[in-house]
Each structure stands twice: as C-alpha cells, then as structure tokens.
C-alpha cells in the first residue's frame, strides 16, 4: 500500500499570496515528482528530485520552486500566486531502481482568485 | 522522444457490456507500460503494469491489458463493466534510463449507464 500524503487537499487563495503545497511519503523512496494536471490534459511534470538536496525542473515550465531537505518531504512553493496557477497538483514518488513505477498522492486542487 | 496516445477522450457503455480502452505508445526500445485510474478529486492509482514476459497482464477488478509490440499498443479490456468502473483511466509509458521518465496520455473518461 502506497503511503504518500498531500496537504491541503483543496485551497482557494487570492492573487499575490505565497503558498506551499506539502507532500510527504513514508515508503523511503528516493525519487519524488510534482505534476500539474488540468481537465482533459495529460499530466505535466514540473519538478522532480533524485534524493536529498537534488531538485530538477521538469518538462513544463513552472514559476514554482521545490526543496528536498529530507527524503520523505518534497514541498512545492509559489511565491506569488496568480489565476494562471489554478490547477490540480499531484505529488508522486518511486524507488531509485530500474522500473519507473510511480505512486501518487491524492492531489491538491488549487484555485487562485 | 516517448509519447502516449489515448484516442478516446470519453467512452460511455452500459453496465454489463464489454469494454476496451485503447492506448498507443511511441518508444525506441521495449517500454515499461502502465494503466492508472483516477476517481474525481483523487490521485492516480496503479492498475496494471508491463515490464517484460507474458504480454497479457492481469489486473484488479477483472481488467486485463495486452502488450502488442507490432502495433505499439497496450489496450485494456474488461468483459463485463460494473457501475463502479466509472472513472478516468490513464495509460503511461516509462523508460529504463537513468531518468526513468514516465509520459502519460491525456486520459479516457469512462461513463457507465445502469
């Protein structure tokens, strides 16, 4: 059973606010990911990490930033939220092995007004 | 570059009918293939995976998927659909390189009519 958690599940916030989306996993996985998902669209990778102190940008350009200070924790931060950031954000993790099977959290639905 | 195509954005079937969800991929070598399901407001849950070996993969709730290299497909089938199968289904292809990149399709939303 995959144990990966995201908080908050839903967030409505005004333009210009700073927000942090939390993601934690208890599986000891080295690799973690953030995806952005819009209705009817594929998942777009925005950030990933191979392990502690490792962060990389994904395929989709994003104004967000991430950090990986602890193996189990991979928070995503938006310094100044805008309506264009309205989306669902999914966190995932996987083992650092040959098979790229990913386990997903329940997601955070962000609305910026 | 790897890619995934799910040709059907939305499928509606009657409960008890058979179902096939289509997935075509593009990848230079033998791929890792996955089917995920997403219920409204939830994350993705892994249903099926193919890494190697038997090309017919059995999953949960009576679903199965077949890898066909000649057609670059990984279609998912179920002989009799239940109302609880209504959800959105995503096909994905992953590589075996150091990055282990996974590319997802745009999803197929399944509606089941009682």
């Amino acid at each position: 059973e995959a144990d990966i958690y995201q908080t908050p599940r839903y967030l409505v916030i005004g333009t210009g606010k700073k927000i942090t989306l939390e993601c934690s996993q208890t599986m000891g996985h080295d690799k973690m990911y953030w995806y952005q998902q819009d209705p009817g669209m594929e998942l777009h990778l925005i950030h990933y990490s191979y392990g502690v102190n490792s962060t990389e940008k994904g395929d989709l350009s994003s104004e967000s930033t991430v950090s990986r200070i602890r193996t189990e924790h991979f928070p995503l931060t938006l310094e100044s939220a805008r309506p264009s950031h309205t989306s669902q954000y999914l966190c995932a993790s996987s083992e650092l092995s040959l098979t790229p099977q990913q386990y997903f959290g329940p997601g955070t639905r962000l609305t910026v007004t | 570059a790897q890619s995934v195509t799910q040709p059907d954005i939305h499928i509606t079937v009657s409960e008890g009918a058979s179902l096939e969800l289509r997935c075509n991929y593009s990848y230079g070598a033998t791929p890792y293939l996955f089917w995920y399901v997403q219920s409204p407001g939830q994350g993705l849950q892994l249903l099926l995976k193919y890494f190697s070996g038997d090309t017919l993969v059995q999953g949960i709730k009576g679903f199965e998927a077949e890898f066909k290299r000649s057609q670059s497909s990984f279609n998912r089938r179920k002989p009799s659909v239940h109302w609880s199968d209504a959800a959105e289904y995503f096909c994905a292809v992953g590589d075996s390189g150091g990055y282990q990149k996974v590319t997802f399709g745009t999803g197929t939303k399944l509606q089941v009519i009682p």
Side-chain angles (χ1 to χ4, degrees):
Chain A
E1 186 71 26
D3 294 315
I4 181 164
Y5 308 97
Q6 291 186 242
T7 57
R9 293 292 315 280
Y10 303 92
L11 179 62
V12 180
I13 201 163
T15 298
K17 300 291 186 182
K18 177 180 179 179
I19 59 171
T20 296
L21 307 185
E22 302 287 348
C23 176
S24 296
Q25 50 96 5
T26 59
M27 297 170 283
H29 287 169
D30 289 303
K31 296 190 75 173
M32 295 190 74
Y33 315 80
W34 276 103
Y35 290 90
Q36 187 172 334
Q37 182 186 28
D38 295 305
M41 305 290 288
E42 65 192 273
L43 277 70
H44 291 288
L45 181 68
I46 52 176
H47 298 283
Y48 63 98
S49 167
Y50 286 112
V52 172
N53 294 325
S54 157
T55 60
E56 302 286 344
K57 288 191 179 294
D59 302 323
L60 182 67
S61 176
S62 174
E63 295 169 343
S64 59
T65 59
V66 293
S67 62
R68 190 87 183 276
I69 299 173
R70 303 197 314 265
T71 298
E72 64 271 22
H73 195 213
F74 191 42
L76 180 146
T77 298
L78 277 166
E79 291 293 333
S80 180
R82 296 190 291 167
S84 60
H85 297 140
T86 294
S87 187
Q88 168 140 290
Y89 293 84
L90 294 172
C91 181
S93 69
S94 68
E95 295 178 345
L96 195 63
S97 66
L98 289 178
T99 57
Q101 179 177 329
Q102 296 181 11
Y103 298 86
F104 283 82
T108 295
R109 170 70 64 182
L110 173 65
T111 302
V112 183
T113 60
Chain B
Q2 61 198 61
S3 65
V4 178
T5 301
Q6 292 181 251
D8 304 306
I9 297 172
H10 191 248
I11 290 179
T12 300
V13 299
S14 298
E15 190 169 19
S18 63
L19 172 70
E20 182 173 59
L21 300 178
R22 296 185 291 166
C23 173
N24 293 96
Y25 69 89
S26 174
Y27 185 70
T30 300
Y32 294 118
L33 294 163
F34 307 91
W35 275 102
Y36 286 87
V37 62
Q38 185 178 35
S39 298
Q42 299 295 319
L44 275 67
Q45 180 185 3
L46 181 69
L47 292 175
L48 292 163
K49 58 185 178 183
Y50 172 79
F51 294 157
S52 64
D54 193 349
T55 57
L56 188 62
V57 181
Q58 300 295 327
I60 61 174
K61 298 199 293 183
F63 278 97
E64 65 179 22
E66 186 173 13
F67 169 58
K68 291 185 177 180
R69 184 189 303 275
S70 61
Q71 299 177 17
S72 296
S73 69
F74 189 54
N75 296 343
R76 187 158 162 269
R77 300 190 294 263
K78 187 171 185 180
S80 178
V81 173
H82 189 264
W83 64 268
S84 61
D85 294 327
E88 190 157 18
Y89 294 87
F90 291 87
C91 182
V93 60
D95 70 16
S96 57
Y99 173 20
Q100 299 178 331
K101 178 175 180 172
V102 177
T103 301
F104 292 85
T106 51
T108 297
K109 186 166 289 188
L110 174 64
Q111 182 180 3
V112 180
I113 300 173

